[in-house]
Amino acid sequence: MFVYSKFARAVFGIAVIALFSLSPRLAWAVDFLDGDLQVHGFFSLTLVNTSDNNFFGESDDQISNEYSEVGANASWRLTPDLQLSAQLLSHRAGGTDDGDVRLDYGLLDWTMTSSEEGRSGMRVGRIKTAYGLYNKTRDVPFTRPSIILPQSIYFDRTRNLTVSADGVELFVERYHEHGSLSASFAYGQPQTNTEAATVALVGLNPPGHLDSKLAPDFQVMYEGSGGKYRFGFTALHLDLRYKPGYSDRLGAGRFKLTPLIFSAQYNAENWSLTSEYASRRISVTDFGPYFYNGDALGESYYLQATYRLAPKWEALLRYDVYYADKGDRNGKDFAAATRLPPFTRYAKDWTAGVRFDVTPQFMLRAEAHHVDGTGFLAVQDNPNPQNLRRYWDSFMLLGSFRF
């Protein structure tokens, strides 16, 4: 009865989203000052059911509706070379995010040079982190290829650490007959002031907190034949310090994380192939005898295919792989040292999904996952690792509206 009631409430929420999208008075963005000031928004709700383990809330053999996104963004073209942009976001994701409204990004974009051959400039403020193909637009469901992004690259459990940073970004874009080349370099303060960021790295109920040095972020992208080909490289370095709290068993530890991401995409008329590979050098030191210290070289990759079945329909198939330590892929060395299940150090996820654009403003998605391993599950939703199951399935249904 409880599961049915929870499911009914969630379906009612998706129905409300559909009614909003079908209303002609709401199916437009708000423009002011002859289009120089624009306001847009979106909201979505996702139902999650898993055969074992919990994902985005209590989903094990029941329906969780604890994954939702609500956002409003605005851009104001002050001059031809200056633009202000900002987005407020409420992101709810099980135990990892409570849905509090926060500034997702807020920046001044200054184009310093512009010509037919390209442009260059800088962005100052809270800027979106360039991280693979999807990170800059990951918060808007319409821009993602699936309900959840490949977790081997775009971890939801540590989302706040890589989604944006407070600092400055320099960018340059060059346009040529055979394609375009863009590059950016950013230097900023990651968002470490959340409990979710600390818990993801040191465990539940930490009395201390994380701090971070300024993080450099570099990305270069090439697009050829009008976007038919896309190739990219991203390099990011995080240097995080743990500040112990009162009666803390952990020492003043340090995390160093350096992911290198190689991206490739091919877009045909009705189908697309996308793949990304990440190598992550990880160093964990000075936490003391009650923590797993050491160095590791993590590895992740996925291969994804999408096919446009009809103008409003799209199908997706993806294989996604994550290893916390390339030298200990099956997790046996980690299990021997910590007595934790070895499958918590990897995950292999087969995903099949379908998208239906009911209207240009309203989208429905359904997605099924078959997973070997629990490497990307959040400890907030699964506090006892001994209760985890190696093989598990999940089914998700999303409704999303934008204006």
Side-chain angles (χ1 to χ4, degrees), residues 3-17 45-48 63-67 92 397-399:
V3 173
Y4 172 78
S5 175
K6 203 170 186 181
F7 179 78
R9 290 198 303 269
V11 170
F12 175 76
I14 291 179
V16 170
I17 295 175
L45 177 65
T46 301
L47 309 180
V48 182
I63 304 294
S64 169
N65 60 359
E66 297 180 32
Y67 184 33
R92 191 167 59 110
L397 177 65
L398 171 143

Side-chain angles (χ1 to χ4, degrees), residues 15 17 31 46-47 59 61 66 81 87 103 115 118-119 126 132-133 233 257 280 285 291 300 309 347 382:
I17 295 175
D31 294 340
T46 301
L47 309 180
S59 62
D61 288 332
E66 297 180 32
D81 298 327
Q87 176 167 285
L103 182 66
S115 67
R119 70 183 189 116
R126 176 160 293 180
L133 294 174
F233 171 74
L257 175 63
R280 299 177 309 278
T285 57
F291 201 78
S300 302
L309 304 167
N382 302 274

